[in-house]
Amino acid sequence: MPFSLMEALRRLRFQSPPARVSPHRPIERIAADLRRVRRTRACFEPGASAVKKIAARQAYDALLVQACKALDVDHRLRVLPEGMDREIERIRVEERLRDLGLSL
Protein backbone atom coordinates (compact mmCIF):
# COMPACT_ATOMS: atom_id res chain seq x y z
CA MET A 1 0.00 0.00 0.00
CA PRO A 2 1.59 3.35 -1.05
CA PHE A 3 2.23 6.05 1.55
CA SER A 4 0.55 9.40 1.29
CA LEU A 5 2.60 12.57 1.35
CA MET A 6 1.36 13.31 4.87
CA GLU A 7 2.44 9.85 6.08
CA ALA A 8 5.90 10.31 4.55
CA LEU A 9 6.30 13.72 6.23
CA ARG A 10 5.12 12.30 9.55
CA ARG A 11 7.72 9.51 9.33
CA LEU A 12 10.49 11.98 8.49
CA ARG A 13 9.58 14.16 11.44
CA PHE A 14 10.08 11.32 13.90
CA GLN A 15 13.39 10.14 12.52
CA SER A 16 16.55 11.00 14.44
CA PRO A 17 18.27 14.25 13.46
CA PRO A 18 21.18 14.03 11.03
CA ALA A 19 24.63 13.50 12.49
CA ARG A 20 26.54 16.69 13.22
CA VAL A 21 29.29 17.43 10.75
CA SER A 22 32.55 18.87 11.95
CA PRO A 23 32.98 22.52 10.90
CA HIS A 24 36.67 21.96 10.11
CA ARG A 25 38.78 19.60 8.06
CA PRO A 26 40.07 16.43 9.73
CA ILE A 27 43.00 17.24 12.00
CA GLU A 28 45.08 14.53 10.31
CA ARG A 29 44.75 16.36 6.99
CA ILE A 30 45.61 19.71 8.57
CA ALA A 31 48.70 18.16 10.20
CA ALA A 32 49.84 16.63 6.89
CA ASP A 33 49.45 19.99 5.16
CA LEU A 34 51.36 21.71 7.99
CA ARG A 35 54.26 19.28 7.61
CA ARG A 36 54.30 19.74 3.83
CA VAL A 37 54.29 23.55 3.97
CA ARG A 38 56.82 23.55 6.81
CA ARG A 39 59.22 21.48 4.65
CA THR A 40 58.65 23.86 1.74
CA ARG A 41 59.50 26.85 3.93
CA ALA A 42 62.69 25.18 5.16
CA CYS A 43 63.94 24.22 1.68
CA PHE A 44 63.87 27.45 -0.28
CA GLU A 45 66.93 27.83 -2.47
CA PRO A 46 69.09 30.91 -1.97
CA GLY A 47 67.67 33.64 -4.13
CA ALA A 48 64.08 32.32 -4.02
CA SER A 49 61.62 35.11 -4.63
CA ALA A 50 60.21 37.02 -1.69
CA VAL A 51 56.72 36.38 -3.06
CA LYS A 52 57.16 32.62 -2.73
CA LYS A 53 58.51 32.97 0.81
CA ILE A 54 55.67 35.25 1.88
CA ALA A 55 53.05 32.98 0.29
CA ALA A 56 54.49 29.92 2.06
CA ARG A 57 54.56 31.77 5.39
CA GLN A 58 50.96 32.91 4.96
CA ALA A 59 49.86 29.40 4.00
CA TYR A 60 51.63 28.00 7.06
CA ASP A 61 49.97 30.55 9.34
CA ALA A 62 46.55 29.77 7.85
CA LEU A 63 47.10 26.07 8.54
CA LEU A 64 48.23 26.83 12.10
CA VAL A 65 45.01 28.80 12.59
CA GLN A 66 42.98 25.82 11.30
CA ALA A 67 44.79 23.47 13.68
CA CYS A 68 44.21 25.86 16.57
CA LYS A 69 40.52 26.03 15.77
CA ALA A 70 40.24 22.25 15.51
CA LEU A 71 42.03 21.70 18.83
CA ASP A 72 40.64 24.75 20.64
CA VAL A 73 44.01 26.48 21.08
CA ASP A 74 44.13 30.23 21.63
CA HIS A 75 46.42 32.15 19.29
CA ARG A 76 47.18 35.67 18.09
CA LEU A 77 48.41 34.83 14.61
CA ARG A 78 45.72 36.90 12.91
CA VAL A 79 46.33 40.04 14.94
CA LEU A 80 50.11 40.27 15.23
CA PRO A 81 51.95 42.05 12.42
CA GLU A 82 54.82 40.30 10.64
CA GLY A 83 58.00 40.42 12.64
CA MET A 84 59.57 38.99 15.76
CA ASP A 85 56.37 38.94 17.84
CA ARG A 86 54.53 36.93 15.21
CA GLU A 87 57.45 34.52 14.82
CA ILE A 88 57.47 33.97 18.58
CA GLU A 89 53.72 33.34 18.45
CA ARG A 90 54.25 30.75 15.69
CA ILE A 91 56.77 28.94 17.86
CA ARG A 92 54.47 29.10 20.90
CA VAL A 93 51.51 27.75 18.88
CA GLU A 94 53.63 24.97 17.34
CA GLU A 95 54.78 23.91 20.81
CA ARG A 96 51.21 23.92 22.15
CA LEU A 97 50.01 21.83 19.21
CA ARG A 98 52.87 19.37 19.79
CA ASP A 99 51.87 19.17 23.48
CA LEU A 100 48.41 18.12 22.31
CA GLY A 101 49.93 15.34 20.19
CA LEU A 102 50.01 16.95 16.75
CA SER A 103 53.04 15.90 14.74
CA LEU A 104 54.55 18.87 12.97
Side-chain angles (χ1 to χ4, degrees):
M1 171 169 106
F3 294 126
S4 69
L5 178 58
M6 291 306 290
E7 180 65 21
L9 290 174
R10 202 173 296 119
R11 285 178 183 237
L12 283 174
R13 189 176 75 192
F14 291 110
Q15 288 181 352
S16 61
R20 293 184 65 180
V21 176
S22 174
H24 49 78
R25 297 183 321 139
I27 192 64
E28 297 84 2
R29 183 70 186 143
I30 296 169
D33 288 346
L34 273 166
R35 288 188 296 271
R36 179 180 48 80
V37 174
R38 184 181 174 101
R39 278 191 308 270
T40 299
R41 287 186 67 208
C43 295
F44 278 120
E45 298 286 328
S49 77
V51 173
K52 285 183 180 182
K53 291 177 183 179
I54 291 168
R57 187 174 58 237
Q58 289 174 344
Y60 189 72
D61 285 353
L63 289 165
L64 284 175
V65 167
Q66 287 179 32
C68 287
K69 184 176 179 181
L71 297 175
D72 200 26
V73 171
D74 290 330
H75 67 87
R76 299 180 328 160
L77 291 167
R78 289 186 176 154
V79 297
L80 291 173
E82 281 300 329
M84 187 58 70
D85 289 340
R86 189 164 180 156
E87 186 60 35
I88 291 168
E89 180 67 357
R90 275 186 203 105
I91 294 167
R92 185 196 69 77
V93 166
E94 289 170 342
E95 189 63 32
R96 180 69 183 121
L97 292 172
R98 281 188 195 98
D99 290 346
L100 292 172
L102 196 68
S103 174
L104 299 176

